[in-house]
Each structure stands twice: as structure tokens, then as C-alpha cells.
Amino acid sequence: MAATAGRVLRLGGRWSAAARGGPLAQVLRLISTTKAVQRKNVGPSGPEKYTEEFIKKQIEEFNLGKRHLANMMGEDPETFTQEDIDRAIAYLFPSGLFDKRARPMMKHPTEIFPEQRKIQWGEDGRPFHFLFYTGKQAYYSLMHDTYEKLLNIQKYEDELTAKDFPPQKEKKNLAGSRWLTKIELEEMLLEKLSDNDYSRFIQLLQKLMTLPCGDIEEKYIQKFTREVPMQLQKVVIEPLKYDERGVAFSTGEGARKTARATAVVYDNGSGKVTVNGIDILHYFPVLQDREQLLFPFQFLDRVGKHDMVCTVSGGGRSAQAGAIRLASAKALRSFVTEREVEFMRQAGLLTYDPRVKERKKPGQEGARRKFTWKKR
């Protein structure tokens, strides 16, 4: 419950009887607490600051004031919501102050007083936790626990290696999720962190995740991640089609600069790719172009599981490879789940590349290059 400084109610030049002893006086006492009283109630340092007893007492006073407001407005106190409280205060105590923080208000104590840690010391004044005097005991305790898990995983990997069972590194995909932000981590720990503290913790989590056996602590890592909400699907994905042999296939179209491509992806294939009736090795002799073309299959771990027939025209070899890449990515949407489609979208596989060559400007040697200036 928050209040404005020195706000009082005066009617007709004299104090009203309601303001002296009636229910309105109780509401006034709750709403119009002075700054000195606020500091007296909230400011004491030590174990008594924001204790459970203090919050409990504030909640009782809030409920009592809410009941008085409901009775004055002629409404049921049990169904009196926060919106009704704000409306009643604006009606009973109109304010012309411009600053919203100076206006009368009555909120639930859990919204006014920030959540605090439980008391970390006993009656004798000695702290319970051995990291208390670091000033950030929750943060350093979290760092200790995370590093201990990292050491345990490394020890487990050494045991597997000693038994001639080398750990196999599995690819962990965090697409569709993100790490906790600094503010979210501070709310979890109830402590203020510096940018350096936050970056050190995220680096430790990333190191833990990249270990070959890091999936052992997958649940622990997920506590510090949040899923990114999926974007609303605007394009309807066409269902799979079947040819005369009963083989499922899907088509997609793509473009890059002046190149236009159409790709037909077949299921249960051997990885054969033909472009304009020519094998991919002969049509794209440059390795970089072939890697770009096959990247959607590599991203979805589907290399060698599909056959693809492409038709492309216009542009150069690099632009044609980019057009086929977009076409094949769109065709693969029919073979995967919605979650994998969202991963593809976040990786940029379903986005058209708008980059084109910039035109030459008049009075210049090129698009950006200027003629060499000569004094004479």
C-alpha cells in the first residue's frame, strides 16, 4: 500500500466528522500516509525490514480499507476489485496533481513492497549461509552449484573414456528458446547483478551445454531458458502429394537476385540432386554453392533421406544456388513438424534474400567508388 505525502481531506474550511472518526478516516489514514510515517514503517534496517509480519499487517490494513471503500460506494466488499478501488478513490478524492506518483492510490502490499529474501541470520546475529558476506550469496551459490555440475559431468566423461566408451557428442539445438535476461535472473535470485556477473553465469551455462554428456543436466539448464513465442503462421503449408508410384513429394519456389527456381523434394530417397537434368556435382562445381544449396537438409538432419529435382533459370551460379536453397526449404516444410518449421524461420531459411547489386551512380566511378580527385 502506497500513499501520497501530506494529502488530507478538508470540507468547507472545517474538518468533517467523517474525517475525524468515521470509516472515511480509516481510508484517509491508509491513503494519506506522510513520508515520515512511510519511512518509519518501511525504512528500518536490519532483520525487521519487509518481514512476513510487516507484510501481513499491511495486507490486513489493505483489506480493511477496501471494505470501507466498498461500503461507501454501496458495493459488495467480496467482489470489490482493484479497478473498483481505483475508481472509488478517483471519485472520493479527486486530485489535480500532474505527477501520478503524487496522486492518491491504494494498491495491494505485494504490488507496493518488493519481494525480499527471507531472513538469513539467526537470533544471535550470525548468518546461516557461508557466502553471506560476499553480498551476493544467492548468485555465488548458483555459480558454485553450476560449476559443481560441470565438474561432475567431466568426471563422468573421464570414466567413460577409461572404459573405452568415449562419449558421443550430440548436437543440442536451442532454437526456439533463449537464456534468461539479466532482469529475469535478478528477479529469480532477488539480488542486483552487474553485467559482468550475468555474462559469467551465461558463459558457464553455455560451457555446460556444450559438453558431450551435458544432456544429463538438461532439466537444470532448462530452468534458465525461456521459450520464444512462435510467430503466427501466415502461410498455409501445402500437404504432401503422392505420385503414381505412391512416393510422397512436395514442391517449393524460390528466388535470388534475377534467378528463379522450382524444387521438387521426394521422400524416401538416397540424396540424389539434379539441377536442370544435370547432376549437382557437374552443375555446381564450386563447393560453396553446393553447401549453400544443401544447407536446409543439413539443418534438419535429413541429408541422404530425400531426392530433389530442381529447375532454375536466370542469374549466375551463386544466385541460382540461393534460389534453390529457398525453394528446397519451402518444400521441406511439408515433411517436418510445426516446431521445426519455426526453427527454420528463425534461422532465416524461409526468408527471401533481398540483396541485389547496387547500380552505378552518375558522376561516380561505381556504386560507391568516386573518381580520383586531382588538383590540376
Side-chain angles (χ1 to χ4, degrees):
M1 176 174 34
T4 59
R7 174 127 182 116
V8 295
L9 178 68
R10 188 164 182 167
L11 301 175
R14 293 179 298 176
W15 302 110
S16 65
R20 286 196 296 269
L24 189 58
Q26 177 69 18
V27 179
L28 279 174
R29 187 173 70 84
L30 293 172
I31 297 176
S32 304
T33 309
T34 63
K35 285 288 184 181
V37 176
Q38 267 193 330
R39 285 194 291 267
K40 182 178 179 181
N41 292 339
V42 181
S45 59
E48 296 182 358
K49 184 177 181 181
Y50 299 154
T51 58
E52 295 181 1
E53 296 179 0
F54 173 78
I55 298 296
K56 184 178 180 181
K57 182 180 178 181
Q58 298 299 322
I59 292 176
E60 292 176 356
E61 293 186 1
F62 171 80
N63 292 332
L64 182 60
K66 184 177 74 170
R67 183 172 292 275
H68 287 322
L69 273 179
N71 292 334
M72 283 188 286
M73 298 299 292
E75 299 187 18
D76 185 9
E78 300 298 331
T79 59
F80 206 61
T81 62
Q82 183 62 46
E83 295 180 358
D84 299 330
I85 293 175
D86 297 338
R87 187 176 65 253
I89 292 177
Y91 175 76
L92 294 172
F93 311 110
S95 173
L97 299 175
F98 291 101
D99 194 346
K100 293 184 178 180
R101 294 176 297 178
R103 296 177 185 176
M105 59 181 259
M106 191 170 78
K107 301 286 186 182
H108 196 276
T110 56
E111 299 181 22
I112 301 300
F113 300 103
E115 186 180 2
Q116 298 289 325
R117 300 186 303 273
K118 295 182 179 179
I119 302 304
Q120 299 293 330
W121 50 82
E123 296 179 356
D124 56 354
R126 295 184 176 182
F128 298 141
H129 204 281
F130 72 99
L131 294 172
F132 175 80
Y133 290 107
T134 60
K136 300 176 183 178
Q137 60 183 24
Y139 168 74
Y140 286 110
S141 178
L142 181 64
M143 292 289 287
H144 274 270
D145 295 341
T146 308
Y147 189 69
E148 184 179 2
K149 293 181 181 297
L150 187 142
L151 294 178
N152 291 337
I153 292 177
Q154 290 179 344
K155 182 179 179 181
Y156 176 71
E157 293 175 357
D158 294 340
E159 292 178 356
L160 291 179
T161 305
K163 296 178 181 179
D164 294 333
F165 293 106
Q168 296 181 357
K169 187 172 183 178
E170 298 181 0
K171 181 181 178 182
K172 301 178 183 63
N173 194 349
L174 284 183
S177 61
R178 60 170 178 82
W179 296 113
L180 288 179
T181 63
K182 178 185 172 183
I183 297 177
E184 291 172 341
L185 188 60
E186 287 177 344
E187 292 176 354
M188 176 186 293
L189 302 178
L190 300 178
E191 291 178 350
K192 290 293 183 181
L193 303 178
S194 64
D195 295 338
N196 189 27
D197 294 337
Y198 173 74
S199 61
R200 281 167 51 191
F201 177 65
I202 297 301
Q203 290 174 3
L204 188 59
L205 283 178
Q206 291 175 345
K207 184 176 180 180
L208 179 64
M209 187 190 66
T210 55
L211 292 177
C213 297
D215 54 345
I216 299 176
E217 299 294 343
E218 183 178 0
K219 292 184 178 179
Y220 179 79
I221 296 175
Q222 288 178 352
K223 288 174 23 179
F224 306 101
T225 60
R226 294 290 182 271
E227 287 192 3
V228 178
M230 292 187 180
Q231 191 183 48
L232 294 177
Q233 191 173 1
K234 299 179 181 179
V235 181
V236 178
I237 301 176
E238 296 183 1
L240 290 173
K241 302 176 183 179
Y242 296 89
D243 58 7
E244 61 278 0
R245 298 173 299 171
V247 179
F249 71 94
S250 178
T251 60
E253 296 180 353
R256 173 78 172 94
K257 293 184 178 179
T258 59
R260 300 293 182 268
T262 302
V264 182
V265 179
Y266 293 91
D267 197 11
N268 298 327
S270 58
K272 183 180 180 181
V273 179
T274 58
V275 181
N276 293 341
I278 305 174
D279 187 78
I280 184 177
L281 292 175
H282 297 91
Y283 195 89
F284 291 106
V286 180
L287 177 62
Q288 182 178 357
D289 295 336
R290 295 198 300 270
E291 289 179 347
Q292 183 182 12
L293 187 151
L294 297 174
F295 182 71
F297 298 92
Q298 182 183 1
F299 182 81
L300 297 172
D301 196 17
R302 287 178 172 268
V303 177
K305 298 181 181 179
H306 298 276
D307 290 339
M308 183 169 63
V309 178
C310 307
T311 303
V312 64
S313 62
R317 286 292 186 261
S318 179
Q320 289 182 353
I324 295 175
R325 165 181 161 167
L326 180 60
S328 61
K330 290 182 177 180
L332 284 171
R333 293 182 301 179
S334 303
F335 294 94
V336 297
T337 61
E338 293 183 1
R339 185 176 178 84
E340 290 177 311
V341 172
E342 179 64 16
F343 293 162
M344 294 172 65
R345 185 194 67 80
Q346 293 178 5
L349 292 176
L350 303 176
T351 305
Y352 168 73
D353 190 352
R355 296 176 301 171
V356 295
K357 181 180 179 181
E358 189 173 350
R359 59 153 289 183
K360 178 188 177 301
K361 310 298 190 302
Q364 299 180 186
E365 189 174 350
R368 302 289 179 88
R369 184 180 177 87
K370 309 296 189 296
F371 290 114
T372 304
W373 182 80
K374 296 181 179 180
K375 185 175 181 180
R376 295 180 179 83

